[in-house]
Amino acid sequence: MGDPMARRLLAAGHAVTVWNRTAAKAEALAGAGAHAVSDLQDAVRGAHIVISMLEAGPTVDGVLRAALPGLAQNALWIDMSSTQQAEAQAFHAQLTAQGRRFIDAPVSGGVGGAAAGTLAIMAGGAAEDFAEAEPVLAAMGRATLVGPAGAGQVAKLCNQLIVGATINIVAEAILLAQAAGADPAAMRAAIRGGFAESKILDVHGQRMLERNFVAGGKVSTQLKDQRNILAAAEAAGIVLPLTELVTARYLTLSKTIPQADHSAALIGLEQLNPGQRVGDAPDKLS
């Protein structure tokens, strides 16, 4: 995700310095006009805005702590990773206590949305900081301020809650059509444009019909998000029974094909229904 996002910033005319824990990934952006550096301190030194896009909260925490000594006073750190709400709030507290600023701004839209500059960006932070960040974020997609620090992560978890559950529902509809004697592809075409229409039915429904489970969003990543959703629900004092079921499904799937696309929920459903399989194509997993 970080690569196409950086390319969108460069295409919009921003001066971009890039650093990655794997140096070759940063160097790959040099041809697009980025200034690639191998030292994290060099990456943040003098920067007014720092953007991080990393795999999970603990990684963000490690990078942030390592970068902090070189971070300019009043610099604005925009973390676009998907983390827990409590982690984002802790990053905000840590930075503001030392004279810097923080916005959590996770995204939805996948690698395709990042490349096209059409990401949905959910931001949490102070209104004045968001106003400063918005012109930069606009190069990557549509940004919306949803509340104070940590609220961006809550909005992303709500997004992932809907995505994770809907993928499983679409899988059930496709398998039901197959098992009950209808053409799954024709069923999908018939209901499109009605109330069941969704991006999930469009993109992941087609993936399931083609049995194309090459990772866009991974099972392992969706499971991480599911667990973060449940952690947020527990902190808020509510119970989400359907999300608990969806989490259990992804937990089972993660034991065998964690690197598959999360639309591989269909495979898990077929395993619950021996003898039932959608289509004759072999599974594409990598």
Side-chain angles (χ1 to χ4, degrees):
M1 289 290 287
D3 181 291
M5 291 165 72
R7 292 179 189 275
R8 293 298 307 184
L9 291 169
L10 290 162
H14 295 288
V16 180
T17 297
V18 292
W19 172 86
N20 193 288
R21 291 173 298 160
T22 303
K25 292 183 179 180
E27 292 164 2
L29 287 161
H35 175 51
V37 297
S38 58
D39 184 83
L40 177 57
Q41 294 294 317
D42 291 337
V44 302
R45 188 174 293 111
H48 186 62
I49 293 179
V50 173
I51 298 174
S52 52
M53 186 60 169
L54 297 159
E55 63 185 357
T59 307
V60 177
D61 181 60
V63 170
L64 192 154
R65 289 178 184 276
L68 193 54
L71 199 60
Q73 284 294 309
N74 205 42
L76 176 60
W77 188 296
I78 305 173
D79 181 40
M80 304 188 77
S81 319
S82 293
T83 73
Q84 293 185 16
Q85 177 188 15
E87 290 171 328
Q89 291 169 333
F91 301 149
H92 173 263
Q94 181 181 8
L95 285 167
T96 55
Q98 300 196 43
R100 283 82 164 186
R101 298 170 295 151
F102 177 83
I103 288 176
D104 54 298
V107 305
S108 179
V111 175
T118 57
L119 292 171
I121 305 170
M122 299 143 273
E128 57 271 24
D129 293 338
F130 177 74
E132 183 178 327
E134 190 172 16
V136 175
L137 296 174
M140 296 177 280
R142 175 181 52 83
T144 304
L145 181 65
V146 295
Q153 297 299 341
V154 173
K156 174 61 186 289
L157 293 178
C158 291
N159 179 86
Q160 293 307 94
L161 183 159
I162 294 169
V163 168
T166 306
I167 285 175
N168 279 267
I169 290 298
V170 168
E172 291 190 5
I174 287 176
L175 189 64
L176 174 61
Q178 171 89 10
D183 180 336
M187 176 279 297
R188 174 175 167 273
I191 67 175
R192 294 191 66 184
F195 283 166
E197 179 66 282
S198 69
K199 195 77 169 179
I200 301 299
L201 181 65
D202 178 17
V203 175
H204 294 290
Q206 186 62 32
R207 278 179 163 269
M208 292 175 194
L209 292 171
E210 295 174 353
R211 305 199 70 86
N212 176 13
F213 304 119
V214 177
K218 297 178 182 179
V219 167
S220 59
T221 302
Q222 185 66 42
L223 178 58
K224 179 202 74 171
D225 291 337
Q226 294 293 138
R227 285 169 165 161
N228 285 347
I229 294 164
L230 292 177
E234 182 178 4
I238 62 172
V239 176
L240 301 176
L242 292 181
T243 299
E244 290 176 356
L245 290 173
V246 172
T247 303
R249 298 305 310 135
Y250 279 113
L251 177 60
T252 298
L253 206 57
S254 72
K255 295 174 182 176
T256 54
I257 47 174
Q259 300 306 306
D261 188 82
H262 46 188
S263 59
L266 177 65
I267 294 176
L269 182 61
E270 290 168 339
Q271 291 170 346
L272 287 176
N273 294 275
Q276 296 292 341
R277 189 178 189 274
V278 175
D280 299 321
D283 292 339
K284 300 175 186 175
L285 296 169
S286 61

